Structure formats: structure tokens, C-alpha cells
Amino acid sequence: MNLPFILDVGIGLVFIFLTLSLLASEIQELLATLLQWRAKHLKQAIETLLAGENKIEPTPDAPDDQPVQVQISQSKELANSLYSHPLIRSLNQEAKGILGQVGQAVSQLTQTARVFSGRSSGPSYLPSDAFATTLLETLRAEDLMHKLSEVKLNRLLQTKLIDPIREIILDLRNSTANDSLLDPEFQLLESELSGISQTFTRREITLASSFDQTVAALQRLITASEATLPQDDSVSQTFLKRLSTIAEEMPSLQNESKPSIVETMSELSTMSWVAQQLRQHRDYRIAFTRLQD
């Protein structure tokens, strides 16, 4: 037996094994598509994620597992709501033609429709941004995020603008012995900031527009102060520099008014805990005494 014959046999075996491996991969891919293995595992993983620590199926006979069973059931209902969202439904590209008919028949035999709330199939992959957007919209977290932004904006306007400006104006008045100096200008600033806050609360402007209007109102105060205060006074110049420093810090403070996903989910968890406390206590005042401010 010469070397070329052995080489030919080896090359033939390599091609045979390669062909069989490709054929096996295609068969496995076809079975995974027809039986919706990836889509089912993804749905189960999402349910496990939403259930948190309650990952083990409880036993019906154990009374201690009843709360766990309720939470698992709620996580499945939430997952079904997510899969009913138009954004996730648009990611489910069902097969058409003969393959689609075969897939629907297999779905009926394997009861896949029960997994995907009546649909014969589900998406096998969810982009992270699509899942996050769907989860927030399903939980109506947008309203909560706006409320958190509203609270943080009001706190920021009070602690970063109104209080510091009032303090430096008091220092200026003490230095000039004029108790009414810049009083109309400061009252106008307070009125403008209050209007900006109320407009944002009514959702008539965005958070970015709120900060743009805040910077504009602060700039009007600086212009009015420059017109009112003497130019050659060192105390007035120091006041204007401190006022300009506050104005320069405003753009960097905008990100502090945007609630993060962690903050939003934490608030949702707190709201869920509050609701649970109110259900456990008939007298709501008892539950309120256990809540944090």
C-alpha cells in the first residue's frame, strides 16, 4: 500500500466526516427551529430573571412555598406581557410556506402555544435595548422616571441654585449695608425657576429644555446684577464671579437629574414592598410607621 493511496483515503474520510458534521448541524438547526428550543429557553430564562431568587419550582404540598409559587406565577404573567409587547412581537419572524405550516403543526403537538401565549413561536434572541425598553414600558416605569426627575430637579434647583444664590446675596448685602439689594431680581429668579419646575411637571418641556431655561434665567440675573452693581467695586465683582461659577456648573448638573435604571428599579421594588405592607396590615397607619421617608 503506497503513500498516495493512504493520502487519498484520508482526504476522503475528512470530506465524509465534514459533510456528515454539516448535515448533522443542519438537522439540529432544523429541529431547534421547529421545536423552538432556543425561544423556549430564552422565555424560561426571562421568567427566572423576573422571579429573582425564586428559581426552584415549589411543591404544591408545602405551605411555606405558597408565596414563592405566587411570585413565580406573577413572573410568568409579566413575561407573557413582555412577549405581547409590539416591540418584541416584531422580532418574532415566523416561517412562511411549507416550513411555516410544519412549524405550526409541531407547535400544536408540543403545546408550544402555551409557552408563547397562544402564538406558535417566539423570538430566539432579544437585543438588550429592546428588552430594557419593553420592560420599562410594561412596568410603566416612564411615569416613575419622570416623577423621579421632577423630584431631583426641584431638589437641585433648591440646593444648587436658590440657596447658594440667596447666601451670596446676603453676603453682598452685609458688605454693602443694603438689605434690599437685588431683591426684585432674586424674586424674579425664584418665580422663573418655579415656573420651569411646574412646566416640567406638566410634561410641557423636556429635562434638557428645563436646564436651558434655567441657565437663561440665571444669565438674566447676572445681566441685571451687572447693570445694578457698581463696576469698580471689588465686593460686587466677587459676587458676580461667584454667580458666574454657579452658572458654569449648571450643564454638568443635568445628568444628576436623570434617574438611572438602578434607581428606577429600586423605586419599583420599594413600591411593591409598600403595597405588600398595606395588604398585610388592615390599619394603614401601622404600615406607614414602618416606611422610610
Side-chain angles (χ1 to χ4, degrees):
M1 183 178 296
N2 52 12
L3 184 62
F5 178 76
I6 298 176
L7 184 61
D8 291 340
V9 172
I11 294 175
L13 291 176
V14 169
F15 275 103
I16 291 175
F17 289 143
L18 180 61
T19 303
L20 291 177
S21 64
L22 292 176
L23 181 60
S25 298
E26 289 297 326
I27 294 176
Q28 182 182 6
E29 183 68 24
L30 180 61
L31 290 176
T33 302
L34 291 177
L35 299 177
Q36 292 289 304
W37 286 341
R38 294 191 182 92
K40 288 181 180 179
H41 292 164
L42 177 62
K43 180 86 180 311
Q44 294 172 356
I46 291 176
E47 292 175 355
T48 302
L49 173 66
L50 297 177
E53 298 179 354
N54 304 315
K55 300 178 181 180
I56 303 176
E57 288 289 344
T59 57
D61 299 334
D64 296 338
D65 289 339
Q66 187 64 25
V68 177
Q69 186 177 6
V70 172
Q71 293 185 15
I72 292 178
S73 177
Q74 291 176 348
S75 68
K76 292 182 178 181
E77 292 178 0
L78 179 56
N80 292 334
S81 300
L82 294 178
Y83 272 70
S84 299
H85 193 278
L87 183 58
I88 291 185
R89 292 182 61 180
S90 65
L91 298 175
N92 181 25
Q93 303 294 330
E94 296 183 344
K96 306 297 182 182
I98 299 178
L99 184 60
Q101 295 177 359
V102 173
Q104 292 179 0
V106 174
S107 176
Q108 293 178 357
L109 292 176
T110 57
Q111 296 182 348
T112 305
R114 296 179 57 184
V115 179
F116 299 109
S117 301
R119 300 177 65 88
S120 60
S121 63
S124 57
Y125 171 75
L126 293 179
S128 58
D129 54 347
F131 176 75
T133 301
T134 303
L135 180 60
L136 293 178
E137 290 183 357
T138 303
L139 295 176
R140 299 185 62 85
E142 182 180 0
D143 297 336
L144 178 59
M145 293 180 69
H146 186 275
K147 188 63 180 179
L148 291 175
S149 297
E150 175 188 338
V151 173
K152 297 179 73 173
L153 176 62
N154 292 334
R155 185 185 301 120
L156 186 145
L157 293 178
Q158 185 67 38
T159 59
K160 300 295 184 179
L161 276 181
I162 297 178
D163 292 344
I165 293 176
R166 181 185 289 112
E167 181 180 351
I168 63 176
I169 288 179
L170 288 177
D171 293 340
L172 179 64
R173 290 174 179 176
N174 293 332
S175 301
T176 59
N178 186 352
D179 294 338
S180 61
L181 186 61
L182 296 179
D183 191 39
E185 291 80 3
F186 182 68
Q187 290 182 0
L188 178 60
L189 176 66
E190 287 184 313
S191 177
E192 288 180 336
L193 295 182
S194 177
I196 292 172
S197 176
Q198 293 175 7
T199 306
F200 178 75
T201 301
R202 296 193 298 266
R203 302 194 179 190
E204 297 178 1
I205 57 175
T206 62
L207 185 62
S209 299
S210 300
F211 271 84
D212 292 341
Q213 295 183 15
T214 300
V215 173
L218 189 55
Q219 189 61 44
R220 284 191 290 270
L221 175 63
I222 295 176
T223 303
S225 300
E226 291 175 346
T228 303
L229 300 176
Q231 298 294 327
D232 55 349
D233 185 24
S234 60
V235 177
S236 300
Q237 294 301 319
T238 301
F239 167 77
L240 292 174
K241 288 181 180 179
R242 295 174 66 183
L243 205 59
S244 300
T245 301
I246 295 176
E248 293 174 356
E249 293 177 353
M250 286 305 301
S252 62
L253 297 176
Q254 180 175 348
N255 292 331
E256 296 184 12
S257 297
K258 297 179 180 179
S260 63
I261 298 297
V262 176
E263 291 176 327
T264 304
M265 301 309 296
S266 176
E267 289 296 328
L268 286 173
S269 177
T270 302
M271 292 168 62
S272 176
W273 179 79
V274 171
Q276 182 180 2
Q277 292 296 317
L278 292 176
R279 286 195 298 266
Q280 291 178 354
H281 300 280
R282 294 184 178 181
D283 189 353
Y284 65 90
R285 290 171 295 184
I286 299 178
F288 285 158
T289 57
R290 300 183 57 188
L291 300 182
Q292 300 178 357
D293 294 340

mmCIF file of all heavy atoms in Angstrom, residues 210-240:
data_model
loop_
_atom_site.group_PDB
_atom_site.id
_atom_site.type_symbol
_atom_site.label_atom_id
_atom_site.label_comp_id
_atom_site.label_asym_id
_atom_site.label_seq_id
_atom_site.Cartn_x
_atom_site.Cartn_y
_atom_site.Cartn_z
ATOM 1 N N SER A 210 -35.643 72.243 30.347
ATOM 2 C CA SER A 210 -35.720 72.837 31.682
ATOM 3 C C SER A 210 -34.384 73.430 32.083
ATOM 4 O O SER A 210 -34.320 74.544 32.634
ATOM 5 C CB SER A 210 -36.156 71.778 32.696
ATOM 6 O OG SER A 210 -37.418 71.244 32.378
ATOM 7 N N PHE A 211 -33.301 72.721 31.802
ATOM 8 C CA PHE A 211 -31.987 73.240 32.152
ATOM 9 C C PHE A 211 -31.596 74.408 31.258
ATOM 10 O O PHE A 211 -30.935 75.349 31.719
ATOM 11 C CB PHE A 211 -30.946 72.116 32.067
ATOM 12 C CG PHE A 211 -30.795 71.357 33.345
ATOM 13 C CD1 PHE A 211 -31.647 70.316 33.655
ATOM 14 C CD2 PHE A 211 -29.818 71.694 34.257
ATOM 15 C CE1 PHE A 211 -31.523 69.614 34.840
ATOM 16 C CE2 PHE A 211 -29.675 71.004 35.448
ATOM 17 C CZ PHE A 211 -30.531 69.965 35.747
ATOM 18 N N ASP A 212 -31.978 74.365 29.991
ATOM 19 C CA ASP A 212 -31.698 75.507 29.112
ATOM 20 C C ASP A 212 -32.398 76.764 29.613
ATOM 21 O O ASP A 212 -31.800 77.851 29.641
ATOM 22 C CB ASP A 212 -32.153 75.185 27.687
ATOM 23 C CG ASP A 212 -31.306 74.096 27.051
ATOM 24 O OD1 ASP A 212 -30.183 73.856 27.534
ATOM 25 O OD2 ASP A 212 -31.779 73.464 26.080
ATOM 26 N N GLN A 213 -33.657 76.619 30.027
ATOM 27 C CA GLN A 213 -34.388 77.767 30.553
ATOM 28 C C GLN A 213 -33.816 78.220 31.899
ATOM 29 O O GLN A 213 -33.804 79.414 32.205
ATOM 30 C CB GLN A 213 -35.863 77.419 30.689
ATOM 31 C CG GLN A 213 -36.563 77.143 29.369
ATOM 32 C CD GLN A 213 -38.047 76.869 29.533
ATOM 33 O OE1 GLN A 213 -38.624 77.149 30.574
ATOM 34 N NE2 GLN A 213 -38.661 76.307 28.505
ATOM 35 N N THR A 214 -33.330 77.261 32.690
ATOM 36 C CA THR A 214 -32.725 77.618 33.973
ATOM 37 C C THR A 214 -31.446 78.426 33.763
ATOM 38 O O THR A 214 -31.210 79.439 34.444
ATOM 39 C CB THR A 214 -32.428 76.359 34.796
ATOM 40 O OG1 THR A 214 -33.644 75.647 35.032
ATOM 41 C CG2 THR A 214 -31.787 76.708 36.118
ATOM 42 N N VAL A 215 -30.620 77.996 32.832
ATOM 43 C CA VAL A 215 -29.389 78.727 32.526
ATOM 44 C C VAL A 215 -29.724 80.116 31.987
ATOM 45 O O VAL A 215 -29.052 81.107 32.343
ATOM 46 C CB VAL A 215 -28.540 77.930 31.518
ATOM 47 C CG1 VAL A 215 -27.347 78.755 31.051
ATOM 48 C CG2 VAL A 215 -28.051 76.627 32.140
ATOM 49 N N ALA A 216 -30.768 80.214 31.167
ATOM 50 C CA ALA A 216 -31.171 81.521 30.635
ATOM 51 C C ALA A 216 -31.656 82.445 31.754
ATOM 52 O O ALA A 216 -31.335 83.648 31.764
ATOM 53 C CB ALA A 216 -32.259 81.342 29.584
ATOM 54 N N ALA A 217 -32.429 81.893 32.693
ATOM 55 C CA ALA A 217 -32.902 82.706 33.819
ATOM 56 C C ALA A 217 -31.732 83.162 34.682
ATOM 57 O O ALA A 217 -31.698 84.307 35.167
ATOM 58 C CB ALA A 217 -33.898 81.910 34.642
ATOM 59 N N LEU A 218 -30.760 82.286 34.892
ATOM 60 C CA LEU A 218 -29.590 82.649 35.680
ATOM 61 C C LEU A 218 -28.751 83.695 34.964
ATOM 62 O O LEU A 218 -28.202 84.618 35.601
ATOM 63 C CB LEU A 218 -28.757 81.399 35.957
ATOM 64 C CG LEU A 218 -27.593 81.533 36.940
ATOM 65 C CD1 LEU A 218 -28.061 82.095 38.267
ATOM 66 C CD2 LEU A 218 -26.928 80.182 37.142
ATOM 67 N N GLN A 219 -28.683 83.608 33.661
ATOM 68 C CA GLN A 219 -27.943 84.598 32.885
ATOM 69 C C GLN A 219 -28.620 85.966 32.951
ATOM 70 O O GLN A 219 -27.945 87.019 32.992
ATOM 71 C CB GLN A 219 -27.809 84.132 31.430
ATOM 72 C CG GLN A 219 -26.871 84.985 30.594
ATOM 73 C CD GLN A 219 -25.457 84.976 31.138
ATOM 74 O OE1 GLN A 219 -24.940 83.917 31.500
ATOM 75 N NE2 GLN A 219 -24.816 86.148 31.211
ATOM 76 N N ARG A 220 -29.958 85.993 32.977
ATOM 77 C CA ARG A 220 -30.674 87.261 33.122
ATOM 78 C C ARG A 220 -30.394 87.896 34.484
ATOM 79 O O ARG A 220 -30.306 89.122 34.601
ATOM 80 C CB ARG A 220 -32.172 87.029 32.930
ATOM 81 C CG ARG A 220 -32.584 86.841 31.478
ATOM 82 C CD ARG A 220 -34.094 86.878 31.308
ATOM 83 N NE ARG A 220 -34.730 85.704 31.889
ATOM 84 C CZ ARG A 220 -34.956 84.585 31.211
ATOM 85 N NH1 ARG A 220 -34.584 84.481 29.940
ATOM 86 N NH2 ARG A 220 -35.552 83.561 31.794
ATOM 87 N N LEU A 221 -30.270 87.040 35.517
ATOM 88 C CA LEU A 221 -29.919 87.573 36.837
ATOM 89 C C LEU A 221 -28.523 88.184 36.813
ATOM 90 O O LEU A 221 -28.297 89.258 37.410
ATOM 91 C CB LEU A 221 -29.993 86.461 37.882
ATOM 92 C CG LEU A 221 -29.529 86.831 39.293
ATOM 93 C CD1 LEU A 221 -30.416 87.927 39.889
ATOM 94 C CD2 LEU A 221 -29.511 85.616 40.205
ATOM 95 N N ILE A 222 -27.585 87.523 36.127
ATOM 96 C CA ILE A 222 -26.222 88.057 36.045
ATOM 97 C C ILE A 222 -26.215 89.397 35.302
ATOM 98 O O ILE A 222 -25.560 90.363 35.727
ATOM 99 C CB ILE A 222 -25.297 87.040 35.349
ATOM 100 C CG1 ILE A 222 -25.169 85.766 36.202
ATOM 101 C CG2 ILE A 222 -23.930 87.639 35.089
ATOM 102 C CD1 ILE A 222 -24.360 84.670 35.548
ATOM 103 N N THR A 223 -26.966 89.474 34.201
ATOM 104 C CA THR A 223 -27.031 90.724 33.437
ATOM 105 C C THR A 223 -27.652 91.849 34.261
ATOM 106 O O THR A 223 -27.155 92.992 34.260
ATOM 107 C CB THR A 223 -27.844 90.507 32.155
ATOM 108 O OG1 THR A 223 -27.244 89.447 31.389
ATOM 109 C CG2 THR A 223 -27.883 91.768 31.307
ATOM 110 N N ALA A 224 -28.751 91.522 34.975
ATOM 111 C CA ALA A 224 -29.386 92.534 35.816
ATOM 112 C C ALA A 224 -28.472 92.964 36.954
ATOM 113 O O ALA A 224 -28.442 94.141 37.335
ATOM 114 C CB ALA A 224 -30.699 91.997 36.370
ATOM 115 N N SER A 225 -27.696 92.035 37.507
ATOM 116 C CA SER A 225 -26.769 92.374 38.592
ATOM 117 C C SER A 225 -25.649 93.266 38.079
ATOM 118 O O SER A 225 -25.217 94.212 38.774
ATOM 119 C CB SER A 225 -26.194 91.097 39.205
ATOM 120 O OG SER A 225 -27.219 90.276 39.725
ATOM 121 N N GLU A 226 -25.154 92.977 36.887
ATOM 122 C CA GLU A 226 -24.099 93.824 36.313
ATOM 123 C C GLU A 226 -24.600 95.242 36.071
ATOM 124 O O GLU A 226 -23.837 96.215 36.213
ATOM 125 C CB GLU A 226 -23.598 93.208 35.002
ATOM 126 C CG GLU A 226 -22.820 91.909 35.192
ATOM 127 C CD GLU A 226 -22.451 91.272 33.869
ATOM 128 O OE1 GLU A 226 -23.030 91.688 32.829
ATOM 129 O OE2 GLU A 226 -21.609 90.357 33.870
ATOM 130 N N ALA A 227 -25.870 95.377 35.704
ATOM 131 C CA ALA A 227 -26.429 96.710 35.477
ATOM 132 C C ALA A 227 -26.726 97.449 36.778
ATOM 133 O O ALA A 227 -26.746 98.685 36.805
ATOM 134 C CB ALA A 227 -27.701 96.606 34.646
ATOM 135 N N THR A 228 -26.939 96.708 37.842
ATOM 136 C CA THR A 228 -27.307 97.331 39.122
ATOM 137 C C THR A 228 -26.097 97.644 39.983
ATOM 138 O O THR A 228 -26.022 98.708 40.600
ATOM 139 C CB THR A 228 -28.273 96.416 39.894
ATOM 140 O OG1 THR A 228 -29.420 96.142 39.081
ATOM 141 C CG2 THR A 228 -28.719 97.060 41.197
ATOM 142 N N LEU A 229 -25.142 96.737 40.039
ATOM 143 C CA LEU A 229 -23.999 96.892 40.935
ATOM 144 C C LEU A 229 -22.941 97.796 40.310
ATOM 145 O O LEU A 229 -22.796 97.852 39.081
ATOM 146 C CB LEU A 229 -23.396 95.520 41.242
ATOM 147 C CG LEU A 229 -24.326 94.515 41.926
ATOM 148 C CD1 LEU A 229 -23.625 93.180 42.080
ATOM 149 C CD2 LEU A 229 -24.782 95.037 43.286
ATOM 150 N N PRO A 230 -22.176 98.482 41.128
ATOM 151 C CA PRO A 230 -21.085 99.339 40.598
ATOM 152 C C PRO A 230 -19.969 98.484 40.004
ATOM 153 O O PRO A 230 -19.634 97.414 40.514
ATOM 154 C CB PRO A 230 -20.609 100.104 41.833
ATOM 155 C CG PRO A 230 -21.052 99.299 43.004
ATOM 156 C CD PRO A 230 -22.329 98.617 42.591
ATOM 157 N N GLN A 231 -19.396 98.956 38.907
ATOM 158 C CA GLN A 231 -18.405 98.183 38.180
ATOM 159 C C GLN A 231 -17.055 98.149 38.891
ATOM 160 O O GLN A 231 -16.303 97.196 38.746
ATOM 161 C CB GLN A 231 -18.235 98.756 36.768
ATOM 162 C CG GLN A 231 -19.502 98.692 35.923
ATOM 163 C CD GLN A 231 -19.911 97.253 35.625
ATOM 164 O OE1 GLN A 231 -19.057 96.384 35.489
ATOM 165 N NE2 GLN A 231 -21.214 97.017 35.514
ATOM 166 N N ASP A 232 -16.708 99.218 39.614
ATOM 167 C CA ASP A 232 -15.382 99.331 40.206
ATOM 168 C C ASP A 232 -15.338 98.848 41.652
ATOM 169 O O ASP A 232 -14.358 99.088 42.363
ATOM 170 C CB ASP A 232 -14.899 100.777 40.140
ATOM 171 C CG ASP A 232 -15.902 101.748 40.785
ATOM 172 O OD1 ASP A 232 -17.038 101.300 41.086
ATOM 173 O OD2 ASP A 232 -15.559 102.932 40.962
ATOM 174 N N ASP A 233 -16.386 98.159 42.091
ATOM 175 C CA ASP A 233 -16.444 97.685 43.468
ATOM 176 C C ASP A 233 -15.947 96.238 43.512
ATOM 177 O O ASP A 233 -16.445 95.362 42.788
ATOM 178 C CB ASP A 233 -17.875 97.780 43.996
ATOM 179 C CG ASP A 233 -17.955 97.409 45.473
ATOM 180 O OD1 ASP A 233 -16.934 97.524 46.158
ATOM 181 O OD2 ASP A 233 -19.032 96.976 45.920
ATOM 182 N N SER A 234 -14.967 95.981 44.379
ATOM 183 C CA SER A 234 -14.398 94.632 44.473
ATOM 184 C C SER A 234 -15.405 93.632 45.024
ATOM 185 O O SER A 234 -15.422 92.462 44.622
ATOM 186 C CB SER A 234 -13.143 94.654 45.356
ATOM 187 O OG SER A 234 -13.459 95.113 46.670
ATOM 188 N N VAL A 235 -16.247 94.078 45.961
ATOM 189 C CA VAL A 235 -17.257 93.186 46.523
ATOM 190 C C VAL A 235 -18.251 92.768 45.446
ATOM 191 O O VAL A 235 -18.652 91.599 45.358
ATOM 192 C CB VAL A 235 -17.981 93.871 47.701
ATOM 193 C CG1 VAL A 235 -19.091 92.974 48.234
ATOM 194 C CG2 VAL A 235 -16.994 94.221 48.803
ATOM 195 N N SER A 236 -18.661 93.702 44.605
ATOM 196 C CA SER A 236 -19.599 93.387 43.522
ATOM 197 C C SER A 236 -18.964 92.442 42.510
ATOM 198 O O SER A 236 -19.615 91.517 42.015
ATOM 199 C CB SER A 236 -20.047 94.681 42.830
ATOM 200 O OG SER A 236 -20.682 95.540 43.755
ATOM 201 N N GLN A 237 -17.692 92.647 42.210
ATOM 202 C CA GLN A 237 -17.005 91.775 41.267
ATOM 203 C C GLN A 237 -16.884 90.359 41.819
ATOM 204 O O GLN A 237 -17.027 89.376 41.080
ATOM 205 C CB GLN A 237 -15.622 92.356 40.938
ATOM 206 C CG GLN A 237 -15.657 93.680 40.190
ATOM 207 C CD GLN A 237 -16.389 93.568 38.872
ATOM 208 O OE1 GLN A 237 -16.231 92.587 38.138
ATOM 209 N NE2 GLN A 237 -17.198 94.577 38.555
ATOM 210 N N THR A 238 -16.634 90.252 43.115
ATOM 211 C CA THR A 238 -16.572 88.923 43.733
ATOM 212 C C THR A 238 -17.935 88.230 43.664
ATOM 213 O O THR A 238 -18.022 87.029 43.389
ATOM 214 C CB THR A 238 -16.122 89.054 45.193
ATOM 215 O OG1 THR A 238 -14.838 89.687 45.239
ATOM 216 C CG2 THR A 238 -16.038 87.684 45.850
ATOM 217 N N PHE A 239 -18.984 88.993 43.899
ATOM 218 C CA PHE A 239 -20.333 88.430 43.809
ATOM 219 C C PHE A 239 -20.631 87.936 42.395
ATOM 220 O O PHE A 239 -21.178 86.834 42.213
ATOM 221 C CB PHE A 239 -21.352 89.501 44.225
ATOM 222 C CG PHE A 239 -22.774 89.147 43.891
ATOM 223 C CD1 PHE A 239 -23.480 88.230 44.655
ATOM 224 C CD2 PHE A 239 -23.405 89.717 42.793
ATOM 225 C CE1 PHE A 239 -24.784 87.895 44.341
ATOM 226 C CE2 PHE A 239 -24.707 89.397 42.471
ATOM 227 C CZ PHE A 239 -25.398 88.478 43.248
ATOM 228 N N LEU A 240 -20.267 88.735 41.394
ATOM 229 C CA LEU A 240 -20.535 88.337 40.012
ATOM 230 C C LEU A 240 -19.719 87.104 39.610
ATOM 231 O O LEU A 240 -20.216 86.246 38.858
ATOM 232 C CB LEU A 240 -20.223 89.507 39.069
ATOM 233 C CG LEU A 240 -21.149 90.722 39.180
ATOM 234 C CD1 LEU A 240 -20.653 91.864 38.294
ATOM 235 C CD2 LEU A 240 -22.578 90.347 38.798
#
